[in-house]
Every structure is written in C-alpha cells, then in structure tokens.
Amino acid sequence: MDYSTLKGHHSHKAEALDFVDFLNASPSPFHAVHEASTRLEKAGFEKISEKDEWHLKKKGKYYFTRNGSSLVAFVVGDKYQAGQGGFSIVGAHTDSPCLKVKPISKKENVGYIEVGVQLYGGGIWHTWFDRDLGIAGRVMVEQNDGTYKHTLVHIKKPILRVPTLAIHLDGSANEAFRFNKEVHMLPVLATTAKSALNAKKDDKSWGPNQVKNHHPALIHVLAETMNVEARQICDFELCLFDSQPATLGGLYDEFIFSARLDNLGMTYCSLMALIKSCDNVSDESNIRLISLFDNEEIGSTSAHGANSNLLPTTMERILSSNVGSKSAPKNIKIAFEQAVHKSFLISADMAHAVNPNYAEKYEENHRPQMHQGTVIKINANQRYATTAPTSLILREIARQKEIPIQEFVVRNDSSCGSTIGPMLSAKLGIRTIDVGNPQLSMHSIRETSGVDDVKNGTDLLKAFFELFPSVDARVFVD
C-alpha cells in the first residue's frame, strides 16, 4: 500500500513504507508479536516452544513467544562452539502507553454508554481527547471442543471517542487543560437510545459474567469482528488506539506520523536487522539474538518483561544444548558466566529529537536531528547503561559501515527517562549500550520520526550482528 503523498521512492523511503505497514498491523503488543512472527517465518525461522526440549543446530534460525506479547528470535553461527562463543543481543519492547479496557467496563451516564478504561504507562493523556479510537488486543475464545484459544481482534473502525468540554463551558481551556483521569477520560461508545434500538437478543449462555461486566454492544462488535458467537468470549485484554493510520508526511515525505513509534520503531529495526543478517553466518562464532519485551512502559516487572527470567533462561537453554559441540557443557553456570562476558547487549529504545519549538529544553551540545543517525544515549547516573567501551565498540562498527551516529545527554536541570538497558545490564552483568532513533512527541497519541532513520537504525543493528565479534577482539578492558 502506498502511504506517500509524493512519488519518487528510494531505498530509505521503501524501508520506511514497510515500517508503516508494520505499524498499521500492530495496534497492540499482541499484534506486534504476531506480525514479527509472520515475518520471521517467511525468512525461514522455525517456531519453538519454551515448553519443549530444544534441538538446535548450526546456522539454525529459531523463535518463540511468551504470553503472545514478547518474542525472542536467534540465529546460531556456523562457527559457534559452546563454551567459546557469546551472544550478540538487541533488546527492544513491544508496548506503548495506551488506554486499556477495565475488567468491568460497563458504564452509562446521562444517555451515553461509556467504556471504563485504565491508563497504561506514562502517556501524554491530553492528546487522547477528541481522537477517533479503535480497539484491539487478544480475546480468550472458547472453542467447540471445550478448549480456549488466544485470538487477536483488531477493530479498525473508530467506535470510541473521549470528548473534551466546549470552551464556552470552560473559559480556561486554552490556559491550562486540566482533567480528572478517572472521570473525564471515559470513551463514549454509543447513546443509550441507539443502543436500545439496535439491541440483539441476549444469549443466556454467554461466557462468565460478560453481560454483567461489559455492555452487550461491545461484546457483539468483538464477536462479529472475530466471526465467533458472543457466548464464546470468555475474557480479553484490549487496548484503545488511534484509528488514523500511520503515514509519511511533510512536504518531502521525510516524516513518519504515527502512534506507537516508541517503541515499535526500534522493534522493527531489531527484527529486520536479524532477518537481513540471518543467512550470513558462515563465519559467525556468536549467537545473534533479539528479545522483544512487553511491559517496559510500566517498569518491566512481569513474566514477559525485561525484569523477568526471559532473557537469562533463553541464554542458559541455548548453552545447555549440544549445538557446536558433541555434548553440552558440564557446568552450565560457569558456561553461562563465561558467555556473558563475551557478549554484548544493545538496548534499542527510541530517543528524543530536538524540538524546534522547545530547543531550550535540550543540552546545547546534544540535540539529535532526524535523518542524521541513530542516537547513543548517555547518562552519568546510569539511567542509560552506555559506557566508554560499549560506545567505542558501536562507533567502530558504525565507522566501518559508514553509518551515522549521534549522542544525547539530558540537561542537568532536566529529568531523564530510562530503558531496559540498566536493568538487564545489572541483572546479567553484560556490557550494554543504549541507543534509539530520534523522534518528536514521545508518548503522545501521535508521534513523529524521520524516514531516513528507519534504514539508518536497521543498518546499524545489522552491522552490529555481523561485525561485533571481530571488533570486540580488538578491545581490551578487564
């Protein structure tokens, strides 16, 4: 699909358009993981399960998911030997700030049907007012044989909206937009009058408490979209999203306007870097791996977040297999510790581009620009995990491939966000660097990034997978 406003594609634009397709197919973490899985399988990756024993082989390409919202994919180098090789890892996250449907969402007020929502993450919530909102996520659907299946739903139609109060009733609206997150951020689904006119006969065999918990109109639209009966819907995790599709914009089609750029931007670059480098492993002595986590926006402490056992247990299971040797290492704990110190992690999470209307908010020597390369993020207080050696390694990789790089540091009078980098660096003891492509309006419902940076970010991570072992062999610290 052509989302551009002008013709004349080049390699950067072609990659950006593919990213736009990825964005539009990924309104929730569950959809992002599904889309990533589809692309991995097209590239020849084999799906495995954490429930099963793994039989790995050299040049093997594998992936698995956890909770349907996190994904790990890896490629075994042809020269990998257990006990000698390490891991070349890129970590990103699949979640973004959003509104999530409450377990009991049914609300009616002064002739309107509303949907109760929870605020997920640290969104710029005022940007969610007066937007056309769809709904997406996963539904647990009862099958005819009595089993229950995780099923995706994506309602692209704008069925919800959070209305602002008219300025005539609030003269201070342009001075300070104040609102109560519990009372004023309730999306409107329908009027009670139209709902009554369009009501369907209730099915008394509906799933447990669905009529009590959610309005029948919501349940029916979910059922119709998934082509199942309303009674089959037993539970769900749904998020609201901006139904306006991602698109290229600006006079020269140099921008990407979209929701969820943080962090589907680096999720996409990580995924495509692994796919594009997966068949070039004849001289590879490492395991190339990406880990796409859920729940970063709320601290990562979940069974499928970066603060879980997802990454360390994956590494241990790979090491405990006999790939690259006649038998598995006798002492997995020692083998793991040795491998960690031969490994490297890139924490890939979007970065802040300088905002021309608020340039004074940025440190004067660290104002990242769009189209000028992926940003290395540095913080003296370890809000980012970058160190001099890790920065050197990535800079050298970028230099060899002539890929642009920038730097970002916050002002001393500014707060600083963080990433999965410091958390995983501390958990594993692994060398880590924080990077990200520059963007504007981070955590808004509608963000902006640069077209050229999609290819810049993908190329940098691809170069990391291909060059890290050789560059690392020339760096001496401990």
Side-chain angles (χ1 to χ4, degrees), residues 201-233:
K201 185 178 180 181
D202 288 341
D203 188 338
K204 294 182 179 179
S205 61
W206 276 21
N209 295 321
Q210 292 301 346
V211 179
K212 175 185 175 183
N213 294 347
H214 308 284
H215 197 280
L218 178 60
I219 297 297
H220 278 298
V221 74
L222 292 171
E224 290 170 4
T225 302
M226 294 186 295
N227 196 28
V228 300
E229 295 180 27
R231 65 173 179 80
Q232 293 178 264
I233 296 176

PDB file of all heavy atoms in Angstrom, residues 201-233:
ATOM      1  N   LYS A 201     -30.944  -9.939  20.803  1.00  0.00           N
ATOM      2  CA  LYS A 201     -31.433 -10.824  21.850  1.00  0.00           C
ATOM      3  C   LYS A 201     -30.257 -11.408  22.617  1.00  0.00           C
ATOM      4  O   LYS A 201     -29.359 -12.021  22.037  1.00  0.00           O
ATOM      5  CB  LYS A 201     -32.264 -11.950  21.234  1.00  0.00           C
ATOM      6  CG  LYS A 201     -32.911 -12.857  22.265  1.00  0.00           C
ATOM      7  CD  LYS A 201     -33.767 -13.923  21.598  1.00  0.00           C
ATOM      8  CE  LYS A 201     -34.413 -14.831  22.635  1.00  0.00           C
ATOM      9  NZ  LYS A 201     -35.236 -15.890  21.995  1.00  0.00           N
ATOM     10  N   ASP A 202     -30.271 -11.189  23.927  1.00  0.00           N
ATOM     11  CA  ASP A 202     -29.169 -11.682  24.748  1.00  0.00           C
ATOM     12  C   ASP A 202     -29.122 -13.203  24.735  1.00  0.00           C
ATOM     13  O   ASP A 202     -30.136 -13.880  24.872  1.00  0.00           O
ATOM     14  CB  ASP A 202     -29.309 -11.198  26.196  1.00  0.00           C
ATOM     15  CG  ASP A 202     -29.021  -9.720  26.321  1.00  0.00           C
ATOM     16  OD1 ASP A 202     -28.385  -9.164  25.412  1.00  0.00           O
ATOM     17  OD2 ASP A 202     -29.423  -9.137  27.337  1.00  0.00           O
ATOM     18  N   ASP A 203     -27.918 -13.694  24.571  1.00  0.00           N
ATOM     19  CA  ASP A 203     -27.702 -15.135  24.628  1.00  0.00           C
ATOM     20  C   ASP A 203     -27.413 -15.516  26.077  1.00  0.00           C
ATOM     21  O   ASP A 203     -26.417 -15.088  26.657  1.00  0.00           O
ATOM     22  CB  ASP A 203     -26.515 -15.525  23.731  1.00  0.00           C
ATOM     23  CG  ASP A 203     -26.368 -17.029  23.602  1.00  0.00           C
ATOM     24  OD1 ASP A 203     -26.862 -17.762  24.487  1.00  0.00           O
ATOM     25  OD2 ASP A 203     -25.750 -17.457  22.628  1.00  0.00           O
ATOM     26  N   LYS A 204     -28.284 -16.284  26.685  1.00  0.00           N
ATOM     27  CA  LYS A 204     -28.138 -16.606  28.100  1.00  0.00           C
ATOM     28  C   LYS A 204     -26.965 -17.533  28.387  1.00  0.00           C
ATOM     29  O   LYS A 204     -26.616 -17.775  29.536  1.00  0.00           O
ATOM     30  CB  LYS A 204     -29.433 -17.228  28.613  1.00  0.00           C
ATOM     31  CG  LYS A 204     -30.602 -16.238  28.594  1.00  0.00           C
ATOM     32  CD  LYS A 204     -31.861 -16.869  29.161  1.00  0.00           C
ATOM     33  CE  LYS A 204     -33.016 -15.874  29.157  1.00  0.00           C
ATOM     34  NZ  LYS A 204     -34.263 -16.457  29.684  1.00  0.00           N
ATOM     35  N   SER A 205     -26.353 -18.065  27.334  1.00  0.00           N
ATOM     36  CA  SER A 205     -25.209 -18.955  27.545  1.00  0.00           C
ATOM     37  C   SER A 205     -23.887 -18.224  27.303  1.00  0.00           C
ATOM     38  O   SER A 205     -22.895 -18.831  26.960  1.00  0.00           O
ATOM     39  CB  SER A 205     -25.311 -20.172  26.616  1.00  0.00           C
ATOM     40  OG  SER A 205     -25.290 -19.776  25.253  1.00  0.00           O
ATOM     41  N   TRP A 206     -23.906 -16.898  27.457  1.00  0.00           N
ATOM     42  CA  TRP A 206     -22.672 -16.137  27.310  1.00  0.00           C
ATOM     43  C   TRP A 206     -21.628 -16.615  28.297  1.00  0.00           C
ATOM     44  O   TRP A 206     -21.922 -17.246  29.305  1.00  0.00           O
ATOM     45  CB  TRP A 206     -22.947 -14.656  27.566  1.00  0.00           C
ATOM     46  CG  TRP A 206     -23.464 -13.929  26.344  1.00  0.00           C
ATOM     47  CD1 TRP A 206     -24.050 -14.485  25.250  1.00  0.00           C
ATOM     48  CD2 TRP A 206     -23.451 -12.533  26.114  1.00  0.00           C
ATOM     49  NE1 TRP A 206     -24.403 -13.521  24.361  1.00  0.00           N
ATOM     50  CE2 TRP A 206     -24.054 -12.302  24.859  1.00  0.00           C
ATOM     51  CE3 TRP A 206     -23.010 -11.438  26.848  1.00  0.00           C
ATOM     52  CZ2 TRP A 206     -24.196 -11.041  24.316  1.00  0.00           C
ATOM     53  CZ3 TRP A 206     -23.160 -10.176  26.308  1.00  0.00           C
ATOM     54  CH2 TRP A 206     -23.747  -9.980  25.048  1.00  0.00           C
ATOM     55  N   GLY A 207     -20.370 -16.228  27.992  1.00  0.00           N
ATOM     56  CA  GLY A 207     -19.278 -16.565  28.885  1.00  0.00           C
ATOM     57  C   GLY A 207     -19.493 -15.957  30.258  1.00  0.00           C
ATOM     58  O   GLY A 207     -20.377 -15.115  30.456  1.00  0.00           O
ATOM     59  N   PRO A 208     -18.691 -16.334  31.257  1.00  0.00           N
ATOM     60  CA  PRO A 208     -18.909 -15.939  32.651  1.00  0.00           C
ATOM     61  C   PRO A 208     -18.914 -14.421  32.847  1.00  0.00           C
ATOM     62  O   PRO A 208     -17.950 -13.741  32.530  1.00  0.00           O
ATOM     63  CB  PRO A 208     -17.728 -16.598  33.382  1.00  0.00           C
ATOM     64  CG  PRO A 208     -16.696 -16.844  32.326  1.00  0.00           C
ATOM     65  CD  PRO A 208     -17.465 -17.125  31.084  1.00  0.00           C
ATOM     66  N   ASN A 209     -20.055 -13.911  33.341  1.00  0.00           N
ATOM     67  CA  ASN A 209     -20.184 -12.513  33.758  1.00  0.00           C
ATOM     68  C   ASN A 209     -20.000 -11.483  32.645  1.00  0.00           C
ATOM     69  O   ASN A 209     -19.828 -10.296  32.923  1.00  0.00           O
ATOM     70  CB  ASN A 209     -19.191 -12.189  34.892  1.00  0.00           C
ATOM     71  CG  ASN A 209     -19.496 -12.973  36.147  1.00  0.00           C
ATOM     72  OD1 ASN A 209     -20.652 -13.162  36.495  1.00  0.00           O
ATOM     73  ND2 ASN A 209     -18.453 -13.453  36.805  1.00  0.00           N
ATOM     74  N   GLN A 210     -20.038 -11.896  31.361  1.00  0.00           N
ATOM     75  CA  GLN A 210     -19.812 -10.926  30.304  1.00  0.00           C
ATOM     76  C   GLN A 210     -20.899  -9.864  30.264  1.00  0.00           C
ATOM     77  O   GLN A 210     -20.616  -8.688  30.058  1.00  0.00           O
ATOM     78  CB  GLN A 210     -19.687 -11.638  28.949  1.00  0.00           C
ATOM     79  CG  GLN A 210     -18.440 -12.497  28.810  1.00  0.00           C
ATOM     80  CD  GLN A 210     -17.153 -11.695  28.977  1.00  0.00           C
ATOM     81  OE1 GLN A 210     -17.151 -10.478  28.952  1.00  0.00           O
ATOM     82  NE2 GLN A 210     -16.050 -12.385  29.187  1.00  0.00           N
ATOM     83  N   VAL A 211     -22.154 -10.255  30.426  1.00  0.00           N
ATOM     84  CA  VAL A 211     -23.255  -9.286  30.410  1.00  0.00           C
ATOM     85  C   VAL A 211     -23.123  -8.319  31.581  1.00  0.00           C
ATOM     86  O   VAL A 211     -23.366  -7.123  31.462  1.00  0.00           O
ATOM     87  CB  VAL A 211     -24.613 -10.011  30.458  1.00  0.00           C
ATOM     88  CG1 VAL A 211     -25.756  -8.995  30.475  1.00  0.00           C
ATOM     89  CG2 VAL A 211     -24.775 -10.923  29.252  1.00  0.00           C
ATOM     90  N   LYS A 212     -22.734  -8.852  32.717  1.00  0.00           N
ATOM     91  CA  LYS A 212     -22.571  -8.023  33.911  1.00  0.00           C
ATOM     92  C   LYS A 212     -21.390  -7.069  33.776  1.00  0.00           C
ATOM     93  O   LYS A 212     -21.454  -5.907  34.190  1.00  0.00           O
ATOM     94  CB  LYS A 212     -22.384  -8.923  35.129  1.00  0.00           C
ATOM     95  CG  LYS A 212     -22.072  -8.163  36.419  1.00  0.00           C
ATOM     96  CD  LYS A 212     -21.785  -9.139  37.555  1.00  0.00           C
ATOM     97  CE  LYS A 212     -21.352  -8.390  38.806  1.00  0.00           C
ATOM     98  NZ  LYS A 212     -20.992  -9.331  39.899  1.00  0.00           N
ATOM     99  N   ASN A 213     -20.296  -7.540  33.196  1.00  0.00           N
ATOM    100  CA  ASN A 213     -19.050  -6.778  33.183  1.00  0.00           C
ATOM    101  C   ASN A 213     -18.938  -5.768  32.050  1.00  0.00           C
ATOM    102  O   ASN A 213     -18.296  -4.722  32.201  1.00  0.00           O
ATOM    103  CB  ASN A 213     -17.858  -7.730  33.114  1.00  0.00           C
ATOM    104  CG  ASN A 213     -17.729  -8.570  34.362  1.00  0.00           C
ATOM    105  OD1 ASN A 213     -18.372  -8.297  35.375  1.00  0.00           O
ATOM    106  ND2 ASN A 213     -16.905  -9.604  34.290  1.00  0.00           N
ATOM    107  N   HIS A 214     -19.515  -6.096  30.886  1.00  0.00           N
ATOM    108  CA  HIS A 214     -19.331  -5.259  29.703  1.00  0.00           C
ATOM    109  C   HIS A 214     -20.662  -5.060  28.991  1.00  0.00           C
ATOM    110  O   HIS A 214     -21.539  -5.932  29.030  1.00  0.00           O
ATOM    111  CB  HIS A 214     -18.315  -5.894  28.749  1.00  0.00           C
ATOM    112  CG  HIS A 214     -17.021  -6.266  29.415  1.00  0.00           C
ATOM    113  ND1 HIS A 214     -16.071  -5.336  29.751  1.00  0.00           N
ATOM    114  CD2 HIS A 214     -16.535  -7.474  29.823  1.00  0.00           C
ATOM    115  CE1 HIS A 214     -15.046  -5.947  30.342  1.00  0.00           C
ATOM    116  NE2 HIS A 214     -15.302  -7.245  30.396  1.00  0.00           N
ATOM    117  N   HIS A 215     -20.793  -3.946  28.320  1.00  0.00           N
ATOM    118  CA  HIS A 215     -22.049  -3.682  27.629  1.00  0.00           C
ATOM    119  C   HIS A 215     -22.218  -4.664  26.475  1.00  0.00           C
ATOM    120  O   HIS A 215     -21.251  -4.963  25.756  1.00  0.00           O
ATOM    121  CB  HIS A 215     -22.090  -2.246  27.108  1.00  0.00           C
ATOM    122  CG  HIS A 215     -23.468  -1.796  26.763  1.00  0.00           C
ATOM    123  ND1 HIS A 215     -24.071  -2.133  25.573  1.00  0.00           N
ATOM    124  CD2 HIS A 215     -24.383  -1.076  27.462  1.00  0.00           C
ATOM    125  CE1 HIS A 215     -25.286  -1.624  25.544  1.00  0.00           C
ATOM    126  NE2 HIS A 215     -25.505  -0.969  26.676  1.00  0.00           N
ATOM    127  N   PRO A 216     -23.416  -5.193  26.253  1.00  0.00           N
ATOM    128  CA  PRO A 216     -23.631  -6.147  25.154  1.00  0.00           C
ATOM    129  C   PRO A 216     -23.184  -5.619  23.792  1.00  0.00           C
ATOM    130  O   PRO A 216     -22.713  -6.380  22.951  1.00  0.00           O
ATOM    131  CB  PRO A 216     -25.146  -6.374  25.187  1.00  0.00           C
ATOM    132  CG  PRO A 216     -25.533  -6.111  26.607  1.00  0.00           C
ATOM    133  CD  PRO A 216     -24.630  -5.020  27.084  1.00  0.00           C
ATOM    134  N   ALA A 217     -23.302  -4.308  23.584  1.00  0.00           N
ATOM    135  CA  ALA A 217     -22.893  -3.739  22.294  1.00  0.00           C
ATOM    136  C   ALA A 217     -21.408  -3.971  22.039  1.00  0.00           C
ATOM    137  O   ALA A 217     -20.995  -4.269  20.907  1.00  0.00           O
ATOM    138  CB  ALA A 217     -23.209  -2.244  22.261  1.00  0.00           C
ATOM    139  N   LEU A 218     -20.587  -3.846  23.084  1.00  0.00           N
ATOM    140  CA  LEU A 218     -19.148  -4.071  22.948  1.00  0.00           C
ATOM    141  C   LEU A 218     -18.861  -5.542  22.687  1.00  0.00           C
ATOM    142  O   LEU A 218     -18.038  -5.883  21.815  1.00  0.00           O
ATOM    143  CB  LEU A 218     -18.421  -3.598  24.210  1.00  0.00           C
ATOM    144  CG  LEU A 218     -16.906  -3.821  24.233  1.00  0.00           C
ATOM    145  CD1 LEU A 218     -16.220  -3.089  23.089  1.00  0.00           C
ATOM    146  CD2 LEU A 218     -16.319  -3.378  25.582  1.00  0.00           C
ATOM    147  N   ILE A 219     -19.515  -6.418  23.422  1.00  0.00           N
ATOM    148  CA  ILE A 219     -19.304  -7.854  23.235  1.00  0.00           C
ATOM    149  C   ILE A 219     -19.695  -8.277  21.823  1.00  0.00           C
ATOM    150  O   ILE A 219     -18.987  -9.050  21.162  1.00  0.00           O
ATOM    151  CB  ILE A 219     -20.107  -8.660  24.277  1.00  0.00           C
ATOM    152  CG1 ILE A 219     -19.623  -8.336  25.692  1.00  0.00           C
ATOM    153  CG2 ILE A 219     -19.998 -10.158  24.004  1.00  0.00           C
ATOM    154  CD1 ILE A 219     -18.191  -8.716  25.968  1.00  0.00           C
ATOM    155  N   HIS A 220     -20.817  -7.757  21.326  1.00  0.00           N
ATOM    156  CA  HIS A 220     -21.282  -8.156  19.998  1.00  0.00           C
ATOM    157  C   HIS A 220     -20.344  -7.675  18.892  1.00  0.00           C
ATOM    158  O   HIS A 220     -20.101  -8.407  17.925  1.00  0.00           O
ATOM    159  CB  HIS A 220     -22.702  -7.632  19.758  1.00  0.00           C
ATOM    160  CG  HIS A 220     -23.767  -8.495  20.356  1.00  0.00           C
ATOM    161  ND1 HIS A 220     -23.961  -9.805  19.970  1.00  0.00           N
ATOM    162  CD2 HIS A 220     -24.683  -8.252  21.336  1.00  0.00           C
ATOM    163  CE1 HIS A 220     -24.969 -10.325  20.660  1.00  0.00           C
ATOM    164  NE2 HIS A 220     -25.412  -9.404  21.511  1.00  0.00           N
ATOM    165  N   VAL A 221     -19.810  -6.467  19.012  1.00  0.00           N
ATOM    166  CA  VAL A 221     -18.907  -5.995  17.956  1.00  0.00           C
ATOM    167  C   VAL A 221     -17.605  -6.794  17.962  1.00  0.00           C
ATOM    168  O   VAL A 221     -17.010  -7.058  16.907  1.00  0.00           O
ATOM    169  CB  VAL A 221     -18.644  -4.476  18.090  1.00  0.00           C
ATOM    170  CG1 VAL A 221     -17.715  -4.151  19.250  1.00  0.00           C
ATOM    171  CG2 VAL A 221     -18.067  -3.924  16.788  1.00  0.00           C
ATOM    172  N   LEU A 222     -17.150  -7.224  19.137  1.00  0.00           N
ATOM    173  CA  LEU A 222     -15.976  -8.099  19.198  1.00  0.00           C
ATOM    174  C   LEU A 222     -16.269  -9.439  18.524  1.00  0.00           C
ATOM    175  O   LEU A 222     -15.465  -9.937  17.723  1.00  0.00           O
ATOM    176  CB  LEU A 222     -15.568  -8.336  20.654  1.00  0.00           C
ATOM    177  CG  LEU A 222     -15.003  -7.148  21.429  1.00  0.00           C
ATOM    178  CD1 LEU A 222     -14.859  -7.499  22.916  1.00  0.00           C
ATOM    179  CD2 LEU A 222     -13.659  -6.716  20.865  1.00  0.00           C
ATOM    180  N   ALA A 223     -17.427 -10.015  18.841  1.00  0.00           N
ATOM    181  CA  ALA A 223     -17.800 -11.314  18.277  1.00  0.00           C
ATOM    182  C   ALA A 223     -17.934 -11.240  16.756  1.00  0.00           C
ATOM    183  O   ALA A 223     -17.448 -12.120  16.038  1.00  0.00           O
ATOM    184  CB  ALA A 223     -19.103 -11.802  18.906  1.00  0.00           C
ATOM    185  N   GLU A 224     -18.580 -10.202  16.267  1.00  0.00           N
ATOM    186  CA  GLU A 224     -18.765 -10.054  14.823  1.00  0.00           C
ATOM    187  C   GLU A 224     -17.434  -9.883  14.103  1.00  0.00           C
ATOM    188  O   GLU A 224     -17.223 -10.443  13.027  1.00  0.00           O
ATOM    189  CB  GLU A 224     -19.680  -8.859  14.547  1.00  0.00           C
ATOM    190  CG  GLU A 224     -21.127  -9.086  14.954  1.00  0.00           C
ATOM    191  CD  GLU A 224     -21.960  -7.813  14.905  1.00  0.00           C
ATOM    192  OE1 GLU A 224     -21.412  -6.764  14.485  1.00  0.00           O
ATOM    193  OE2 GLU A 224     -23.150  -7.870  15.260  1.00  0.00           O
ATOM    194  N   THR A 225     -16.533  -9.127  14.698  1.00  0.00           N
ATOM    195  CA  THR A 225     -15.219  -8.901  14.077  1.00  0.00           C
ATOM    196  C   THR A 225     -14.414 -10.188  13.998  1.00  0.00           C
ATOM    197  O   THR A 225     -13.721 -10.444  13.006  1.00  0.00           O
ATOM    198  CB  THR A 225     -14.438  -7.839  14.870  1.00  0.00           C
ATOM    199  OG1 THR A 225     -15.197  -6.628  14.923  1.00  0.00           O
ATOM    200  CG2 THR A 225     -13.094  -7.563  14.211  1.00  0.00           C
ATOM    201  N   MET A 226     -14.501 -11.025  15.032  1.00  0.00           N
ATOM    202  CA  MET A 226     -13.736 -12.274  15.057  1.00  0.00           C
ATOM    203  C   MET A 226     -14.486 -13.441  14.422  1.00  0.00           C
ATOM    204  O   MET A 226     -13.941 -14.545  14.337  1.00  0.00           O
ATOM    205  CB  MET A 226     -13.379 -12.630  16.504  1.00  0.00           C
ATOM    206  CG  MET A 226     -12.437 -11.662  17.169  1.00  0.00           C
ATOM    207  SD  MET A 226     -11.927 -12.231  18.808  1.00  0.00           S
ATOM    208  CE  MET A 226     -13.495 -12.191  19.658  1.00  0.00           C
ATOM    209  N   ASN A 227     -15.743 -13.193  14.027  1.00  0.00           N
ATOM    210  CA  ASN A 227     -16.571 -14.242  13.434  1.00  0.00           C
ATOM    211  C   ASN A 227     -16.765 -15.419  14.396  1.00  0.00           C
ATOM    212  O   ASN A 227     -16.640 -16.579  14.022  1.00  0.00           O
ATOM    213  CB  ASN A 227     -15.968 -14.728  12.112  1.00  0.00           C
ATOM    214  CG  ASN A 227     -16.967 -15.506  11.278  1.00  0.00           C
ATOM    215  OD1 ASN A 227     -18.178 -15.282  11.363  1.00  0.00           O
ATOM    216  ND2 ASN A 227     -16.477 -16.438  10.490  1.00  0.00           N
ATOM    217  N   VAL A 228     -17.080 -15.074  15.649  1.00  0.00           N
ATOM    218  CA  VAL A 228     -17.408 -16.091  16.648  1.00  0.00           C
ATOM    219  C   VAL A 228     -18.733 -15.690  17.291  1.00  0.00           C
ATOM    220  O   VAL A 228     -19.250 -14.588  17.065  1.00  0.00           O
ATOM    221  CB  VAL A 228     -16.317 -16.229  17.735  1.00  0.00           C
ATOM    222  CG1 VAL A 228     -14.993 -16.611  17.109  1.00  0.00           C
ATOM    223  CG2 VAL A 228     -16.181 -14.935  18.550  1.00  0.00           C
ATOM    224  N   GLU A 229     -19.291 -16.576  18.112  1.00  0.00           N
ATOM    225  CA  GLU A 229     -20.510 -16.237  18.838  1.00  0.00           C
ATOM    226  C   GLU A 229     -20.150 -15.511  20.127  1.00  0.00           C
ATOM    227  O   GLU A 229     -19.107 -15.770  20.735  1.00  0.00           O
ATOM    228  CB  GLU A 229     -21.302 -17.508  19.155  1.00  0.00           C
ATOM    229  CG  GLU A 229     -21.820 -18.224  17.907  1.00  0.00           C
ATOM    230  CD  GLU A 229     -22.610 -19.474  18.259  1.00  0.00           C
ATOM    231  OE1 GLU A 229     -23.187 -19.505  19.365  1.00  0.00           O
ATOM    232  OE2 GLU A 229     -22.631 -20.403  17.438  1.00  0.00           O
ATOM    233  N   ALA A 230     -21.027 -14.605  20.529  1.00  0.00           N
ATOM    234  CA  ALA A 230     -20.766 -13.814  21.739  1.00  0.00           C
ATOM    235  C   ALA A 230     -20.522 -14.700  22.954  1.00  0.00           C
ATOM    236  O   ALA A 230     -19.693 -14.366  23.813  1.00  0.00           O
ATOM    237  CB  ALA A 230     -21.928 -12.858  21.990  1.00  0.00           C
ATOM    238  N   ARG A 231     -21.211 -15.828  23.042  1.00  0.00           N
ATOM    239  CA  ARG A 231     -21.061 -16.712  24.199  1.00  0.00           C
ATOM    240  C   ARG A 231     -19.663 -17.319  24.286  1.00  0.00           C
ATOM    241  O   ARG A 231     -19.256 -17.791  25.356  1.00  0.00           O
ATOM    242  CB  ARG A 231     -22.100 -17.834  24.128  1.00  0.00           C
ATOM    243  CG  ARG A 231     -21.916 -18.763  22.952  1.00  0.00           C
ATOM    244  CD  ARG A 231     -22.845 -19.961  22.988  1.00  0.00           C
ATOM    245  NE  ARG A 231     -22.648 -20.821  21.832  1.00  0.00           N
ATOM    246  CZ  ARG A 231     -21.663 -21.699  21.719  1.00  0.00           C
ATOM    247  NH1 ARG A 231     -20.793 -21.842  22.706  1.00  0.00           N
ATOM    248  NH2 ARG A 231     -21.550 -22.443  20.635  1.00  0.00           N
ATOM    249  N   GLN A 232     -18.914 -17.307  23.180  1.00  0.00           N
ATOM    250  CA  GLN A 232     -17.569 -17.893  23.173  1.00  0.00           C
ATOM    251  C   GLN A 232     -16.526 -16.970  23.791  1.00  0.00           C
ATOM    252  O   GLN A 232     -15.410 -17.397  24.088  1.00  0.00           O
ATOM    253  CB  GLN A 232     -17.155 -18.244  21.741  1.00  0.00           C
ATOM    254  CG  GLN A 232     -17.959 -19.351  21.098  1.00  0.00           C
ATOM    255  CD  GLN A 232     -17.511 -19.590  19.665  1.00  0.00           C
ATOM    256  OE1 GLN A 232     -18.091 -19.063  18.718  1.00  0.00           O
ATOM    257  NE2 GLN A 232     -16.468 -20.385  19.500  1.00  0.00           N
ATOM    258  N   ILE A 233     -16.865 -15.699  23.956  1.00  0.00           N
ATOM    259  CA  ILE A 233     -15.919 -14.733  24.520  1.00  0.00           C
ATOM    260  C   ILE A 233     -15.894 -14.883  26.036  1.00  0.00           C
ATOM    261  O   ILE A 233     -16.882 -14.609  26.712  1.00  0.00           O
ATOM    262  CB  ILE A 233     -16.307 -13.303  24.116  1.00  0.00           C
ATOM    263  CG1 ILE A 233     -16.204 -13.146  22.597  1.00  0.00           C
ATOM    264  CG2 ILE A 233     -15.430 -12.284  24.833  1.00  0.00           C
ATOM    265  CD1 ILE A 233     -16.668 -11.795  22.092  1.00  0.00           C
TER     266      ILE A 233
END
